[in-house]
Amino acid sequence: MSAVLPENRRKKPAPKGPVAAPPDPILGAPGAPHAPEESPPPPEATTTTLRPPAPPRKKRAAKMPEIPRALQVIAGVLVVLAASIGVAWGARRYILTSPRFAIRTVLVDGNHRLTAEQVAGAGAVNVGRNIFELDLETAAAAIGTDPWVERAVVTRSLPGTVKITVVEREARALAAMGGELYLITRDGDPFKRSEGADPTDLPVITGLTADKVAADRPGVVQALRRALDVVEDMERAGIARRYPIQEVHLEKDGTIVVTVGKEAIAIFLGQTRFREKIEQASRVLSEIAKRKANASVIFLDNEAHPERVVVRMR
């Protein structure tokens, strides 16, 4: 059964025909401003097609030029070299300044004529000096400038020891040349002018002039060797032990005259076969000593008849 609604709630029938629009709340309201007499026409409709925005383009990174392989290797080598130089410089600075490498001990070997202080001083090998600052070859060369030193070798032993080994020259005779006396080695080398502290108890070789030395030094050295050979032969024969050799005179023609003993006995040996004649002179001197005679000259210079001996007595 249908419910009966109250009269005031019944639906009113919709009006037929066009319905007037309600007044404009702004323009039609009482007291509102009057609308303009004529409004501008609306703009013509246009059709716009909207597209989605394009994605942003990625910026390309600037392409760096490729470094050649050779340049990379060179650069690496330079870096390593620079580092090595830095390390080497630091190491060098350390070893040249560290007290650990100061010279504390100097050993000198082979010296007889010179003192250890003279040898070390000649090479500037001083206690307290840095051992690496010392140039070994330079020090050895400086020591070798001393006329008594034939050669020198300088070595170092870390951390602070330097050893100097020298070979000294040995004077075998004195040679009178140009009014001066010179010390002579066994090889005939006049290595030093004789001075006050030098040995004097040596045979003196005479007969050489300054002009001869200046004009023919190799010839002079050869003549000095011949004279020294005679000295050694007389020592070997025992003559020098009984009659010390005083002088060996070299004549211009090659004749050698030896003066021996305190009696200054002159022995003429001629120009050749010196060893045979020296042995003969030894027998003659022994016979003279037995007779207690006093000879002044013994002639053994007969080259045609070497067996003949002439003795001149005082």
Side-chain angles (χ1 to χ4, degrees):
M1 185 172 64
S2 63
V4 178
L5 295 177
E7 183 177 353
N8 57 348
R9 291 188 180 181
R10 292 180 182 177
K11 293 183 180 181
K12 295 181 180 180
K16 297 180 181 180
V19 178
D24 189 295
I26 297 177
L27 297 179
H34 295 283
E37 296 181 356
E38 185 173 344
S39 299
E44 295 182 357
T46 59
T47 303
T48 303
T49 303
L50 299 180
R51 297 180 179 177
R57 295 184 179 181
K58 295 183 180 179
K59 295 183 179 180
R60 291 185 179 181
K63 188 175 182 180
M64 300 294 292
E66 293 184 2
I67 300 176
R69 179 64 179 174
L71 292 180
Q72 294 179 2
V73 173
I74 293 174
V77 170
L78 291 177
V79 171
V80 173
L81 183 61
S84 301
I85 292 174
V87 172
W89 183 86
R92 182 178 185 277
R93 177 181 175 83
Y94 171 74
I95 65 176
L96 290 179
T97 57
S98 174
R100 170 178 172 79
F101 298 109
I103 298 175
R104 293 181 173 84
T105 305
V106 180
L107 304 176
V108 180
D109 185 32
N111 60 309
H112 303 286
R113 180 68 54 180
L114 301 175
T115 65
E117 290 75 12
Q118 288 175 321
V119 173
V125 184
N126 304 319
V127 174
R129 183 180 180 182
N130 185 277
I131 197 170
F132 289 103
E133 186 184 29
L134 177 67
D135 187 281
L136 303 182
E137 293 184 0
T138 302
I143 295 171
T145 59
D146 191 290
W148 280 107
V149 179
E150 182 176 352
R151 62 180 179 272
V153 178
V154 182
T155 58
R156 65 167 65 94
S157 179
L158 299 180
T161 301
V162 175
K163 184 177 181 180
I164 306 173
T165 303
V166 297
V167 176
E168 290 184 342
R169 291 184 174 91
E170 181 182 359
R172 292 288 290 127
L174 291 165
M177 296 182 294
E180 299 285 348
L181 286 176
Y182 291 86
L183 295 169
I184 309 299
T185 66
R186 178 61 187 87
D187 294 330
D189 178 26
F191 67 93
K192 184 182 185 298
R193 181 179 297 177
S194 179
E195 297 175 347
D198 294 333
T200 57
D201 55 340
L202 298 170
V204 179
I205 302 173
T206 60
L208 299 172
T209 63
D211 295 339
K212 176 72 173 176
V213 175
D216 186 16
R217 181 180 175 84
V220 168
V221 171
Q222 184 65 28
L224 291 172
R225 288 178 180 174
R226 290 179 67 240
L228 291 171
D229 288 341
V230 170
V231 170
E232 287 190 352
D233 288 340
M234 297 191 76
E235 291 175 346
R236 191 180 299 109
I239 296 177
R241 191 165 51 249
R242 292 175 293 168
Y243 301 91
I245 300 172
Q246 305 296 332
E247 180 184 353
V248 180
H249 182 73
L250 305 176
E251 298 284 356
K252 292 182 179 180
D253 62 355
T255 298
I256 294 181
V257 181
V258 183
T259 303
V260 299
K262 295 179 181 179
E263 301 86 356
I265 302 173
I267 303 174
F268 284 75
L269 296 175
Q271 301 172 350
T272 60
R273 295 184 292 186
F274 298 123
R275 185 168 297 179
E276 296 176 8
K277 295 175 180 179
I278 288 171
E279 292 176 356
Q280 192 172 10
S282 178
R283 292 191 294 269
V284 172
L285 288 171
S286 297
E287 187 64 25
I288 292 174
K290 287 180 182 179
R291 298 182 182 186
K292 296 182 180 180
N294 191 4
S296 61
V297 181
I298 300 175
F299 292 97
L300 297 168
D301 57 350
N302 192 331
E303 302 297 338
H305 299 279
E307 73 279 1
R308 295 181 182 180
V309 180
V310 177
V311 180
R312 181 182 298 172
M313 307 302 292
R314 292 186 188 277

